[in-house]
Amino acid sequence: MSNTVITISRQYGSGGRELSEILAKKLGVKLYDRQIIHMAAAMLGIGDLTDESLRELENKVLPLSSAFMPFYSFGSHAGPNVNTELFLAESKVIHQLVNDGPCVILGRCADYILRDKENVYSFYICANDKYREIRGKEIYEGKTLYELNEEDGKRGQYYQYYTGNKWGDPQNYNLIINTSDISLDEAADIIINYVEMRQKNNI
């Protein structure tokens, strides 16, 4: 699967991050996730921000107000709409990374950003509430289903704001995979088999 790029979007608590790690390992390719925002932040001159501050910038979809001006103390060259500039910088980073070779990209609206590029396959990972609730307790430091859904709401708002599309809409992905009743390893194999089938048939 030379020059193949796989993007993964996931419902919080569905195991999408772990699945992406398994998938990248099976394929022997790099996985890009939060590295992207750090590279984008460095590009804007705000590379000294903490992970928490960067997450706040990503989650805020409205233009930043003057209340956020202290970010300039980090030597930012970005304007007052630094959150939008951060998204644009992430988009640039993503294009640079996929030009370097095959990879798996988790989140970051990569399915939309790479929508016109060849050999890109996008998947949405979801799960039922019971599965997500269990993972919330066991994997996500005791987060409740309400908290998981609240985070999903932020992701959906961010995605719609920057892409104009509805997050999780089947039309935006090649395949949607429900991990409630299969292992994450099996889900990774489904993705690999799907991509291999598409490429074998040149579709």
Side-chain angles (χ1 to χ4, degrees):
M1 292 196 289
S2 177
N3 298 321
T4 297
V5 175
I6 295 175
T7 77
I8 302 291
S9 300
R10 85 286 190 193
Q11 193 177 23
Y12 200 19
S14 65
R17 183 183 299 277
E18 186 179 343
L19 167 57
S20 297
E21 294 172 351
I22 294 170
L23 180 62
K25 185 175 181 179
K26 281 177 176 283
L27 293 173
V29 301
K30 292 182 179 180
L31 167 64
Y32 296 112
D33 179 16
R34 297 208 62 78
Q35 307 99 309
I36 295 172
I37 186 175
H38 285 286
M39 293 172 70
M43 189 181 293
L44 295 178
I46 54 175
D48 290 337
L49 290 182
T50 64
D51 281 346
E52 183 178 354
S53 295
L54 289 173
R55 282 196 296 270
E56 288 178 1
L57 284 179
E58 277 194 315
N59 287 334
K60 188 173 180 61
V61 296
L62 297 177
L64 293 179
S65 68
S66 58
F68 286 80
M69 291 301 284
F71 283 128
Y72 288 108
S73 64
F74 292 90
S76 172
H77 300 293
N81 293 334
V82 63
N83 54 334
T84 298
E85 293 185 37
L86 183 61
F87 172 79
L88 295 175
E90 286 187 13
S91 300
K92 185 175 181 179
V93 168
I94 287 172
H95 279 289
Q96 292 174 342
L97 291 174
V98 301
N99 287 334
D100 289 339
C103 60
V104 175
I105 300 179
L106 179 62
R108 318 259 90 82
C109 300
D111 60 282
Y112 177 82
I113 292 169
L114 300 173
R115 64 194 183 282
D116 296 324
K117 193 172 182 64
E118 293 184 357
N119 294 319
V120 175
Y121 301 88
S122 298
F123 301 86
Y124 183 79
I125 311 303
C126 62
N128 62 36
D129 287 349
K130 181 179 180 181
Y131 179 88
R132 294 172 60 231
E133 188 170 27
I134 292 173
R135 284 185 64 87
K137 293 177 181 178
E138 297 179 352
I139 308 296
Y140 299 101
E141 302 176 344
K143 282 186 170 58
T144 65
L145 183 60
Y146 176 83
E147 290 174 310
L148 298 181
N149 289 335
E150 192 172 40
E151 182 65 26
D152 273 349
K154 293 178 183 178
R155 289 179 178 176
Q157 185 182 27
Y158 178 90
Y159 185 89
Q160 185 168 2
Y161 182 83
Y162 286 112
T163 72
N165 296 330
K166 183 178 180 181
W167 186 62
D169 188 331
Q171 297 181 77
N172 301 329
Y173 312 94
N174 293 101
L175 200 66
I176 292 182
I177 300 175
N178 189 317
T179 56
S180 303
D181 299 313
I182 60 174
S183 71
L184 297 179
D185 192 78
E186 290 171 328
D189 286 339
I190 289 173
I191 291 175
I192 293 172
N193 291 336
Y194 176 87
V195 174
E196 288 179 342
M197 179 272 295
R198 289 286 304 273
Q199 294 183 337
K200 180 180 179 180
N201 296 314
N202 294 316
I203 57 176

